[in-house]
């Protein structure tokens, strides 16, 4: 069982404000996740000594608040559905992969494939994100305070990626309908990704996203990128892009 | 397909802690390669000493007593070669105050079945099959001092689970290479190297990378140039860490799928497959932590 | 649409003159008529040919194996009185809720999108009637499919179209797809004519685009990462749901071993004859190895790891008859999966649509343009009119009938070999008719003890 230093809350109906502390130096991740799957709305959790373990706080489907004090390994908050997960340190590969809704916030850096295939919700990374940030994103909103690595937003289908720093090579390669906003430099754009005009509606949604991420950047400093839609249909003239 | 942890200590006051720091890193990458493991340590007192060459041989049992090995090797070398043989964990170390080529010749003549897994003035290489932490404990890694250390845990892909197939591959003096990923044209590069006279010990794709780097260094490349050239010749997926007597290099292929994280402070450079392997290093909170960019060679020299 | 087969000819394609021999005409074995048509098509369109179905070339197959029925040295079982069980448990290595199927013949992954909703429903109905499983495809899980399928395997693919944790938890098993036999190393495709509003919605894509799926997973590469990924899926499903790993047959010895080391409960091995909804023809015909050659390699890997029958092996790619089922199992499979055969049972390539196949430039028995969405049988289409031709109840019944026949045929053979359970079939029950099949299947050439490359002599 998880080590609970707060009232025992797993099996019985939990009081709305119940708070639990789980120390992963002694308790298995499996028990933590099982407890989170049994969680009730309004509960909150603090996870200590995460030690970069994998699959922390995955598959949460209750409006709970989880704070991971330290560094998380692969797939932290994977397939997140409800509530908020905060990682105070760095997160490994596949942070919040396939997130559906809710919020995941990393105060440090995130490794590659952050928010991969995310369908919804908000992922905030205060530091840098590695390669393939937002790969195949399907509706998630991602706000990165620092830089993102190469091949980010590869085949991005929907959702918005906001980068307050610089973007690596091949940004938005083979992008579909996702929107990318970058404040800094873009090392290179991927196939079928182009710069697009920043209109009032974009400034508005950017302001909203930055505010949601607790950032004060000026939306007017960003550039917008999206699909040229030239690769939407197979065509002999595009053969070098396939 | 594997876990990597590597450490270069810039601050000599940390040298006594090299083994314990590397061990704490290795502990966090065990899951990535439970089949077998290998270690390389540089300038570790008791294992290597300046002015002598040391060969690392696979296995504790070479079919002869250490005294007989010492006598056999000494008989083939100059009288003042000061041959010494010791068993460390599952590794036999043979040292002598002669050049490595001469020592290799004497050792292979004395022990024709021996597999040389490491050679040089500064490095000792240790490998075995089994749980990586048991291998590390068996060799006494925790207590080892040193200037650099490299560890690797292996999940074998297309070659056998053997100690000989474990990384690091050390195929030239003080040169070690570890690899996470798989080369997709290693058979062709192997054939080309063989045509040039390079001899291989295993069917492992990583050995091809190591032999290629060794061959480039021999032709006068710097470590950085050798790895840039490797990127032109070897195809596939790789995160490589290469160490020499006084340098460490990290390179990822241009697609960069296999993980790599680097932490750099004034005191050390550390590289690992996962962040958690770095989390216990001293001063990590103030380290510059980054993921190496694709297709770029990073080198650090002591 | 910019890729298709050759433009439909105004009149039916001209048959070769009856008096070829009299005229002294000689067809090239290298440049045969199909090859000439391929070159002409490429020259006309400038894009590679995309089609459905699996490899059409002839490769060594189960037809090249025969069973050694019992006579004196071994005793057969009586047909109707003595039991020959067919059930199979899949996924009991780590999962607390393994599947328990009544027949080892399962339905392979085929997406809603590639197939019509009616076809998917029919697959679910047919499979559920006989107590076996169906599998989703690259495009998510539909409520119809979940509703009609007693045992539903949810595919986890590189694209993650429609992937969500609710469906994941509803699944009876999760199949992590690394590849398929028709295209090991390639990603999926779905051409614009099939990306209708519903399909596009499920995949979060613009309507009508030509969709290319990724060939690698977005958040892991290689067995070391796969182990961590499997761990995550187990955590999300509380270690209840079996996790399969599906590989396209190319290096099955290594891939099977690595799937086991990564923590799979079940390995699904798809040979090159396995079907696809839309893939480059050059890929279908030239990449991968035959099912027959793949099974012994996978089984060897499982045996060396002490995991044979503990991690179950499901084999697919060209299973058509109960004999094929029995042969796959004798070679070491725990179960098989059918795709193309299931579609045929539903009504694919039915001669009653001969005129319409002809109008599409094809013929009943040859139709493979699954990518076009104009399937007269209403199976590989999203066209409402065409889809409505397939009655899911009647088609499901046909599939159930066919699955029963496969099971009974396999039982017939197993009884003849003296087995009270299909699982007790073994390679020693088989011999090969050709040297090629003998070498690939690692069973002796009939009448000899010779297995080329392994042992024995004439």
């Amino acid at each position: 069982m998880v080590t609970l230093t707060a009232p025992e809350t797993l099996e019985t109906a939990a009081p709305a404000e119940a708070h639990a502390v789980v120390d992963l130096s002694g308790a298995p991740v499996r028990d933590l996740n099982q407890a989170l799957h049994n969680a009730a709305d309004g509960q909150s959790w603090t996870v200590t000594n995460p030690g970069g373990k994998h699959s922390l706080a995955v598959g949460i489907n209750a409006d709970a608040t989880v704070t991971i004090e330290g560094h998380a390994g692969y797939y932290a908050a994977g397939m997140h559905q409800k509530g908020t997960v905060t990682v105070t340190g760095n997160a490994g590969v596949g942070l919040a992969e396939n997130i559906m809704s809710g919020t995941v916030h990393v105060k440090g850096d995130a490794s590659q494939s952050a928010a991969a295939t995310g369908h919804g919700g908000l992922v905030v990374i205060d530091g840098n994100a590695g390669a393939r940030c937002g790969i195949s994103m399907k509706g998630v909103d991602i706000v990165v305070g620092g830089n993102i690595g190469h091949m980010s937003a590869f085949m991005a289908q929907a959702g918005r990626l906001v980068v307050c720093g610089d973007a690596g090579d091949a940004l938005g390669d083979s992008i579909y309908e996702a929107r990318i906003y970058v404040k800094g430099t873009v090392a290179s754009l991927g196939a079928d990704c182009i710069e697009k005009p920043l209109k009032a509606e974009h400034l508005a949604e950017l302001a909203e996203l930055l505010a949601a991420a607790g950032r004060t950047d000026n939306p007017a400093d960003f550039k917008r990128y999206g699909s040229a839609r030239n690769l939407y249909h197979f065509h002999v003239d595009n053969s070098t892009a396939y | 397909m594997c876990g990597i942890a590597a450490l270069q200590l810039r601050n000599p006051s940390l040298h006594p802690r090299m083994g314990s720091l590397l061990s704490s890193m290795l502990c966090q990458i065990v899951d990535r390669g439970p089949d077998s493991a290998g270690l390389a340590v540089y300038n570790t007192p008791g294992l290597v000493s300046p002015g002598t060459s040391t060969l690392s041989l696979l296995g504790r049992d070479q079919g002869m007593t250490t005294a007989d090995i010492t006598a056999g090797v000494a008989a083939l070398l100059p009288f003042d070669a000061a041959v010494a043989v010791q068993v460390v964990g599952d590794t036999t170390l043979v040292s002598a105050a002669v050049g490595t080529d001469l020592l290799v010749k004497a050792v292979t003549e004395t022990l024709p079945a021996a597999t040389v897994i490491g050679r040089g003035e500064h490095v000792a290489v240790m490998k075995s099959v089994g749980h990586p932490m048991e291998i590390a404990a068996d060799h006494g890694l925790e207590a080892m001092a040193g200037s650099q250390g490299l560890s690797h845990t292996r999940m074998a892909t297309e070659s056998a689970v053997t100690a000989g197939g474990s990384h690091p591959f050390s195929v030239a003096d003080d040169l070690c290479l570890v690899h996470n990923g798989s080369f997709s044209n290693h058979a062709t590069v192997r054939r080309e190297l063989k045509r040039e006279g390079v001899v291989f010990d295993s069917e492992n794709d990583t050995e091809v990378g190591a032999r290629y780097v060794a061959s480039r260094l021999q032709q006068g490349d710097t470590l950085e140039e050798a790895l840039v050239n490797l990127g032109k010749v070897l195809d596939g997926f790789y995160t490589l860490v290469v160490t020499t007597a006084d340098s460490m290099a990290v390179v990822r292929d241009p697609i960069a799928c296999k993980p790599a994280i680097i932490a750099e402070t004034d005191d050390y450079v550390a590289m690992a497959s996962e962040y958690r392997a770095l989390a216990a290093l001293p001063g990590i909170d103030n380290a510059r932590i980054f993921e190496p960019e694709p297709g770029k060679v990073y080198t650090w020299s002591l | 649409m910019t890729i298709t087969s050759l433009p439909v000819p105004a009149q039916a394609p001209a048959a070769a003159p009856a008096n070829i021999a009299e005229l002294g005409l000689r067809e090239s074995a290298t440049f045969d008529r199909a090859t000439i048509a391929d070159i002409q098509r490429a020259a006309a369109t400038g894009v590679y040919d995309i089609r459905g179905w699996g490899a059409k070339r002839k490769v060594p197959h189960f037809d090249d194996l025969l069973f050694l029925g019992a006579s004196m040295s071994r005793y057969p079982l009586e047909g109707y009185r003595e039991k020959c069980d067919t059930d199979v448990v899949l996924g009991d290595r780590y999962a607390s809720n393994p599947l328990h199927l009544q027949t080892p013949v399962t339905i392979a992954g085929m997406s809603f999108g590639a197939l019509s909703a009616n076809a998917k429903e029919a697959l679910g109905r047919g499979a559920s009637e006989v107590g076996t499983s169906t599998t989703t495809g690259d495009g998510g899980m539909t409520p119809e499919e979940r509703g009609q399928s007693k045992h539903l395997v949810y595919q986890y693919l590189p694209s993650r179209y429609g992937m969500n944790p609710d469906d994941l938890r509803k699944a009876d098993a999760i199949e992590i797809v690394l590849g398929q036999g028709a295209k090991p190393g390639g990603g999926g495709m779905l051409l614009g004519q099939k990306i209708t509003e519903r399909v596009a919605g499920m995949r979060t894509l613009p309507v009508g685009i030509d969709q290319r799926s990724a060939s690698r997973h977005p958040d892991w590469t290689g067995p070391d990462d796969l182990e961590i990924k499997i761990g995550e899926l187990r955590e999300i499903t509380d270690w209840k749901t079996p996790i399969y790993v599906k590989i396209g047959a190319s290096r099955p010895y290594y891939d099977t071993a690595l799937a086991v080391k990564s923590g799979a409960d079940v390995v699904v091995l798809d040979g090159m004859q396995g079907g696809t909804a839309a893939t480059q023809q050059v890929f279908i015909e030239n990449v991968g190895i035959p099912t027959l050659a793949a099974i012994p390699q996978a089984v060897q890997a499982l045996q060396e790891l002490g995991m044979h029958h503990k991690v179950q092996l499901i084999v697919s790619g060209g299973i058509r008859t109960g004999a094929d089922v029995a042969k796959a199992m004798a070679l070491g499979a725990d179960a098989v999966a059918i795709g193309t055969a299931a579609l045929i049972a539903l009504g694919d390539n039915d001669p009653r649509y001969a005129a319409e196949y002809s109008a599409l430039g094809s013929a009943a028995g040859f139709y493979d343009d699954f990518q076009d969405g104009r399937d007269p049988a209403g199976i590989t289409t999203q066209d409402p009119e065409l889809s409505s031709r397939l009655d899911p109840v009647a088609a499901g019944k046909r599939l159930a009938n066919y699955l029963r026949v496969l099971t009974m045929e396999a039982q017939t053979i197993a009884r003849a070999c003296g087995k009270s359970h299909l699982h007790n079939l073994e390679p020693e029950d088989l011999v090969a008719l050709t040297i090629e099949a003998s070498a690939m299947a690692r069973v002796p050439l009939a009448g000899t003890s010779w297995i080329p490359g392994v042992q024995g002599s004439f």
Side-chain angles (χ1 to χ4, degrees), chain A residues 30 33-34 37 54-55 59 74-75 78 81 97-98 100 113 117 119 138 155 157 176 232-234 236, chain C residues 2 46 159-161 163-166 169 191 203-204 208-210 212 218-220 225 232 235 238-239:
Chain A
R30 186 169 171 180
N33 282 326
Q34 184 70 64
H37 297 168
H54 303 313
S55 306
Y74 280 46
Y75 312 129
Q81 279 176 289
E97 64 88 14
N98 214 84
M100 304 302 294
S113 303
T117 77
H119 284 69
K138 296 169 168 60
M155 285 185 143
Q157 297 169 227
Y176 294 101
Y232 277 18
H233 296 279
F234 289 105
V236 62
Chain C
T2 50
S159 68
R160 312 276 164 87
Y161 293 134
M163 171 53 54
N164 71 78
D166 292 328
R169 285 185 284 256
L191 300 192
R203 300 182 185 214
T204 327
I209 64 145
D210 291 331
R212 293 161 295 135
D219 55 357
W220 66 269
D225 287 350
E232 184 207 5
E235 286 294 325
D238 295 328
W239 292 71

Side-chain angles (χ1 to χ4, degrees), chain B residues 260-279:
Chain B
I261 301 171
I262 291 169
E264 197 174 1
T265 72
D266 290 343
D267 291 338
Y268 61 82
V269 180
M271 178 274 174
S273 299
E274 293 179 25
Y275 184 80
R276 59 180 177 158
L278 305 173

Side-chain angles (χ1 to χ4, degrees), chain B residues 1-2 31-32 35 155-158 180 237 255 258, chain C residues 216 221-225 227-228 251 254 258 261-262:
Chain B
M1 298 297 154
C2 317
D31 297 345
R32 301 188 66 85
D35 289 345
M155 189 186 275
T157 48
E158 289 189 12
N180 180 12
F237 293 86
I255 296 172
K258 299 315 294 180
Chain C
R216 285 199 313 271
T221 310
D224 42 11
D225 287 350
E227 183 186 18
I228 304 171
R251 296 182 175 89
Y254 296 119
L258 291 168
K261 289 182 190 179
S262 301

Side-chain angles (χ1 to χ4, degrees), chain B residues 76-163:
Chain B
L76 297 165
L77 293 176
F79 72 96
D80 58 350
V83 176
V85 178
Q86 63 168 324
V87 172
V88 178
D90 201 23
T91 306
T92 303
L93 298 175
V94 183
S95 305
V98 293
T100 45
D101 287 344
L102 202 54
L103 184 56
V104 167
K105 200 162 167 283
V107 166
T108 47
E109 205 165 304
T110 309
L111 300 167
T115 306
V116 179
I117 55 172
R119 49 186 283 169
E121 187 182 343
H122 302 279
V123 72
V125 177
M126 297 154 276
K127 303 178 179 184
S128 198
V129 172
H131 192 277
M133 290 320 288
E134 285 168 17
I135 295 168
D138 196 27
H139 286 88
L141 173 65
E142 186 79 28
M144 287 178 188
S147 58
Q148 291 188 134
L150 185 56
S151 61
H152 186 272
T153 61
R154 178 161 185 249
M155 189 186 275
T157 48
E158 289 189 12
S159 48
V161 180
T162 59

Side-chain angles (χ1 to χ4, degrees), chain A residues 43-70:
Chain A
Q43 283 186 314
S44 68
W45 304 73
T46 299
V47 179
T48 58
N49 296 307
K53 291 192 168 80
H54 303 313
S55 306
L56 296 177
V58 295
I60 296 179
N61 195 18
D63 195 4
T65 304
V66 180
T67 304
I68 296 170
E69 290 187 341

Side-chain angles (χ1 to χ4, degrees), chain B residues 39-57:
Chain B
L39 302 161
V41 293
Y42 284 80
N43 299 314
T44 299
L47 301 186
V48 295
S49 56
T52 63
S53 296
T54 298
L55 297 191
S56 307
L57 308 183

